[in-house]
């Protein structure tokens, strides 16, 4: 218990010692700033700039209540001994000390409420404006009112107010800004030397020749805000204020007009602009630079993510392509291996049906015919899988040879009419008389396309007819048109009907059978021959498939081969 009380006593002593040291240090700085302010006294009575106001506000922001005691005592002593102002009696001095505490305390409190962080107020344009409006102009009003009412600065309210504002803006911002270490580069150091040289030349001309070039200093400050930011501006502003004040004191200034009061007010307004505008400008520039850097960082991050995502997509595409090739090779191999025994089964079944091994009983022939039909159906399915695998693997070639459209149409009619008759359907064929008697193309692939389309028409039509037509569209295009009076295709399915393993509904899969590869093969073969395919359909009324192909005659093919050679 005793050790705990001892620890508390030591802590209290340490806190009081810290407060005394902070108050003493702030008080000494306050008195030093008041002494420097005496250099700006005009006509022995008017103080143009009151620097202690800036010391008090900066101390209140950084150290809080610990600094206010030193501010009050130093302000009272400065008023009592007439440092920077007319000497005052003890009561007035005490009143001025309380006013200094109120001005600094209120300014710090308002800035804490309105800004994100008062000690970093000049990193954002909004906070810089609030600092100038509330911390300097608003809080400075308290000291000006008290000084005027108490008679310490009688009949000089406006001048006293402006002196407080300027003092805050000359002293407080550099203290707050330079707490954050700058990161100057060599280029910026050279620019700073150039700006200081220009500043020195203008000051020399003003103080020694009397040239009215005071406003050129605004250009120097603007350049400093652009090139050196808040740190450069915080150094140059006190120098500019000092040069302008020195010009007035030496009687060589643009602002020497009218009475002394008018001259001081004019100089103070100019110095106020010099002190306020560059900080806001530098804050705006700093914010834009920070936003640009953040945007560049975001862009770099996005570019990196895009590159990473692109690499992932490339890897995924390569993996998918490899898997697709492996799948196609597997399907081609398996289809080939399955087709070999099926051909043997079909062959032996055909031998038995022909009676080459003896006559079959009716029941035996029925079973054998069913086995034959199912084996042929299975062979057709395997052929479709093999075809789509070869197409995806790039192993399918289009061999162009002359053929007669009439012979192709008659051959397909003989092959498919039996299937149509078995379902009680009528198969109609039509040959356009304008179609050339000889065309060039891959007859086997054309036959495959037509048989798939006609077979689908027969499969999905229960009554009516299936119609196959070969048409001449133009001198460059001809078409294969297959229409039926079947169930039709819903609009939503017409966009995906040509995809692999895709049929209209699961019900149709079960009712009509199939793998959904026929139309995918038709589309791929059509594209390989430079053609297009489209479908028009309406539910319950039927469908029409149209394959459009280049109209290449034997003479065109010969000219094409000669051109290639």
């Amino acid at each position: 218990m005793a050790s705990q009380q001892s620890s508390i006593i030591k802590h209290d002593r340490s806190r009081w010692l810290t407060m005394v040291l902070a108050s003493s240090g702030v008080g000494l700085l306050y008195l030093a700033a008041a002494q420097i302010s005496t250099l700006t006294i005009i006509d022995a009575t008017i103080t143009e700039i009151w620097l202690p106001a800036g010391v008090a506000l900066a101390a209140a922001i950084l150290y809080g209540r610990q600094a206010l005691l030193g501010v009050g005592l130093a302000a009272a002593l400065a008023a009592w001994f007439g440092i920077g102002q007319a000497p005052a009696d003890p009561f007035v001095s005490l009143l001025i000390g309380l006013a200094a505490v109120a001005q600094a305390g209120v300014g710090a409190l308002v800035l804490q409420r309105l800004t994100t962080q008062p000690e970093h107020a000049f990193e954002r344009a909004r906070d810089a404006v609030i600092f100038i409006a509330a911390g300097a102009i608003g809080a400075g009003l308290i000291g000006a009112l008290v000084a005027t009412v108490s008679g310490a600065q009688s009949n000089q309210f406006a001048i006293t107010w402006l002196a407080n504002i300027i003092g805050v803006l000359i002293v407080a911002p550099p203290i707050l800004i330079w707490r954050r270490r700058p990161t100057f580069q060599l280029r910026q150091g050279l620019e700073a030397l150039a700006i200081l040289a220009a500043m020195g030349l203008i000051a020399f001309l003003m103080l020694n020749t009397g040239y009215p070039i005071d406003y050129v200093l605004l250009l120097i400050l603007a350049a400093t805000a652009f090139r050196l930011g808040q740190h450069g501006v915080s150094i140059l502003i006190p120098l500019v204020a000092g040069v302008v004040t020195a010009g007035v004191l030496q009687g060589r200034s643009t602002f020497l007009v009218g009475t002394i009061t008018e001259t001081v007010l004019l100089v103070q307004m100019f110095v106020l602009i010099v002190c306020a505008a560059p900080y806001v400008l530098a804050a705006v520039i700093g914010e834009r630079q920070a936003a640009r850097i953040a945007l560049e960082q975001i862009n770099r991050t996005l570019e990196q993510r895009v590159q990473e995502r692109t690499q992932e997509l490339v890897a995924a595409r390569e993996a998918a392509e490899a898997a697709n090739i492996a799948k196609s090779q597997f399907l081609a191999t398996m289809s080939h291996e399955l087709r070999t025994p099926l051909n043997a089964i079909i062959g032996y079944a055909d031998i038995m049906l022909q009676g080459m091994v003896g006559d079959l009983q009716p029941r035996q022939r029925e079973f054998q015919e069913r086995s034959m039909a199912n084996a042929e159906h299975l062979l057709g399915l395997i052929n479709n899988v093999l075809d789509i695998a070869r197409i995806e693997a790039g192993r399918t070639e289009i061999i162009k040879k002359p053929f007669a459209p009439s012979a192709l149409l008659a051959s397909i009619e003989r092959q498919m009419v039996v299937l149509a008759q078995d379902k009680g359907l009528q198969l109609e064929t039509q040959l356009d008389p304008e179609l050339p008697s000889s065309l060039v193309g891959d007859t086997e692939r054309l036959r495959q396309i037509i048989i798939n389309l006609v077979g689908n028409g027969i499969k999905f039509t229960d009554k009516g007819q299936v119609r196959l037509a070969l048409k001449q569209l133009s001198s460059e295009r001809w078409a294969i048109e297959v229409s039926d009076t079947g169930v039709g295709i819903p609009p939503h399915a017409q966009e995906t009907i040509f995809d692999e393993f895709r049929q209209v509904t699961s019900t149709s899969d079960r009712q009509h059978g199939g793998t959904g590869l026929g139309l995918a093969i038709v589309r791929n073969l059509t594209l390989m021959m430079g053609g297009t395919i489209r479908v028009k359909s309406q539910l319950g009324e039927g469908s029409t498939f149209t394959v459009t192909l280049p109209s290449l005659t034997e003479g065109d093919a010969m000219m094409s081969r000669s051109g290639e050679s």
Side-chain angles (χ1 to χ4, degrees):
M1 187 70 179
S3 60
Q4 185 177 1
Q5 290 179 348
S6 176
S7 177
I8 294 174
I9 293 173
K10 289 181 179 179
H11 176 73
D12 291 340
R13 289 178 179 176
S14 176
R15 186 181 62 179
W16 280 103
L17 180 61
T18 301
M19 186 177 68
V20 169
L21 292 175
S23 299
S24 302
V26 171
L28 293 175
L29 287 175
Y30 190 99
L31 292 174
Q35 187 62 44
I36 295 173
S37 298
T38 60
L39 301 176
T40 67
I41 293 178
I42 300 176
D43 196 29
T45 58
I46 302 174
T47 304
E48 183 181 340
I49 300 173
W50 185 241
L51 299 177
V55 173
L57 181 60
I61 291 174
L62 296 177
Y63 302 108
R65 291 176 297 177
Q66 295 179 353
L68 294 179
L69 177 60
V71 168
L73 292 176
L77 290 175
W80 193 7
F81 291 103
I83 303 176
Q85 54 193 341
D89 58 59
F91 176 76
V92 173
S93 298
L94 179 60
L95 187 62
I96 291 175
L98 293 176
V101 171
Q103 177 177 330
V106 170
L109 180 62
V110 172
L111 291 176
Q112 287 175 353
R113 296 292 179 86
L114 299 182
T115 62
T116 306
Q117 288 181 310
E119 60 271 23
H120 301 289
F122 294 91
E123 295 178 9
R124 299 175 56 191
R126 173 184 174 276
D127 290 347
V129 172
I130 292 175
F131 187 97
I132 295 169
I137 298 176
L141 183 62
I142 298 175
L145 285 173
V146 173
T148 302
V149 171
S150 64
Q153 299 287 341
S154 58
N155 302 322
Q156 295 178 4
F157 170 75
I159 293 177
T160 305
W161 187 15
L162 289 172
N164 277 272
I165 297 171
I166 295 171
V168 169
L169 296 179
I170 287 179
V171 176
I175 294 175
L176 300 178
I177 290 171
W178 281 90
R179 292 179 70 251
R180 179 170 53 89
R181 182 176 299 178
T183 56
F184 284 130
Q185 300 176 353
L186 178 60
R187 175 182 57 81
Q188 292 175 311
L190 296 176
E191 291 175 351
L193 292 177
I195 290 173
L196 289 175
M199 173 69 189
L201 177 61
I202 294 173
F204 176 80
L205 294 175
M206 286 177 55
L207 300 178
N208 292 278
T209 64
Y211 290 154
I213 55 175
D214 307 65
Y215 294 101
V216 179
L217 296 172
L218 292 175
L219 298 178
I220 301 295
L221 285 168
T224 305
F226 274 100
R227 305 306 304 175
L228 302 179
Q230 298 286 20
H231 288 87
V233 165
S234 65
I235 292 177
L236 201 62
I237 283 177
L239 296 178
V240 171
V243 170
V244 173
T245 303
V248 174
L249 293 174
Q250 292 185 12
R252 295 179 177 179
S253 174
T254 308
F255 307 106
L256 294 174
V257 292
T259 64
I260 293 296
T261 301
E262 292 173 344
T263 297
V264 172
L265 287 174
L266 190 59
V267 171
Q268 286 181 317
M269 291 301 297
F270 178 75
V271 174
L272 176 59
I273 295 173
V274 165
C275 293
Y279 284 124
V280 177
L281 178 60
V284 171
I285 296 170
E287 280 188 317
R288 294 194 58 176
Q289 289 177 345
R292 177 179 56 80
I293 293 172
L295 182 59
E296 291 176 353
Q297 180 63 34
I298 292 174
N299 289 335
R300 285 194 294 269
T301 303
L302 288 177
E303 290 176 359
Q304 183 178 357
R305 289 181 179 176
V306 168
Q307 291 177 356
E308 293 175 353
R309 184 58 178 165
T310 302
Q311 293 175 355
E312 292 175 358
L313 291 176
V314 169
R317 185 191 65 185
E318 292 175 351
E321 291 175 350
N324 190 46
I325 292 173
K327 179 203 72 174
S328 300
Q329 292 175 347
F330 171 77
L331 289 176
T333 301
M334 291 303 298
S335 299
H336 177 75
E337 295 299 326
L338 290 172
R339 191 167 59 172
T340 299
L342 271 177
N343 285 327
I345 294 173
I346 293 172
Y348 286 123
D350 186 53
I351 289 174
M352 295 179 69
L353 288 173
Q354 291 180 12
M356 297 177 65
V357 294
D359 295 334
L360 298 177
Q361 298 295 327
R363 191 70 171 171
Q364 292 174 334
R365 178 172 293 276
E366 179 185 355
F367 289 160
Q368 195 65 30
E369 286 176 349
R370 289 184 179 181
S371 299
M372 180 80 166
N374 281 282
E376 289 179 342
H377 177 66
L378 181 57
L379 181 61
L381 297 179
I382 293 174
N383 284 337
N384 283 340
V385 174
L386 180 60
D387 287 338
I388 201 69
R390 284 176 175 173
I391 291 172
E392 290 182 351
R395 296 180 180 178
T396 301
E397 296 183 1
I398 301 298
I399 301 175
K400 296 180 180 180
K401 292 181 179 180
F403 71 95
S406 58
L408 176 64
L409 186 63
S411 173
I412 292 174
E413 183 180 9
R414 287 192 301 270
Q415 182 177 349
M416 303 301 294
V417 69
V418 177
L419 292 177
Q421 291 175 353
D422 288 344
K423 289 193 67 174
L425 303 175
Q426 182 180 359
L427 177 62
E428 294 184 359
T429 60
Q430 179 183 355
L431 181 65
D432 191 342
E434 296 184 1
L435 196 66
S437 60
S438 178
L439 292 173
V440 174
D442 192 326
T443 310
E444 293 303 319
R445 299 307 176 189
L446 290 171
R447 178 185 297 275
Q448 192 173 2
I449 289 173
I450 296 173
I451 289 176
N452 269 312
L453 292 178
V454 174
N456 269 354
I458 295 173
K459 181 193 300 184
F460 292 99
T461 302
D462 295 327
K463 61 180 179 178
Q465 65 180 7
V466 177
R467 183 172 173 272
L468 167 63
L470 304 184
K471 296 182 177 181
Q472 180 72 15
L473 299 180
S474 66
S475 60
E476 299 177 351
R477 313 291 287 179
W478 69 286
I480 302 168
E481 185 178 277
V482 177
S483 58
D484 61 64
T485 57
V487 296
I489 304 171
H492 71 273
Q494 294 179 23
E495 299 179 358
T496 60
I497 196 68
F498 296 103
D499 294 344
E500 299 171 8
F501 305 104
R502 183 68 68 93
Q503 289 190 337
V504 177
T505 63
S506 58
T507 303
S508 68
D509 292 347
R510 304 282 72 80
Q511 181 179 352
H512 300 98
T515 59
L517 290 176
L519 290 179
I521 293 173
V522 169
R523 180 196 60 183
N524 288 326
L525 292 177
T526 301
L527 294 176
M528 291 176 67
M529 289 188 286
T532 59
I533 184 170
R534 68 179 186 273
V535 60
K536 291 183 179 180
S537 183
Q538 189 169 354
L539 282 175
E541 296 185 7
S543 306
T544 298
F545 290 86
T546 303
V547 176
T548 304
L549 296 167
S551 182
L552 187 63
T553 62
E554 189 173 359
D556 296 331
M558 292 177 63
M559 292 178 61
S560 177
R561 285 195 295 269
S562 63
E564 292 174 358
S565 61

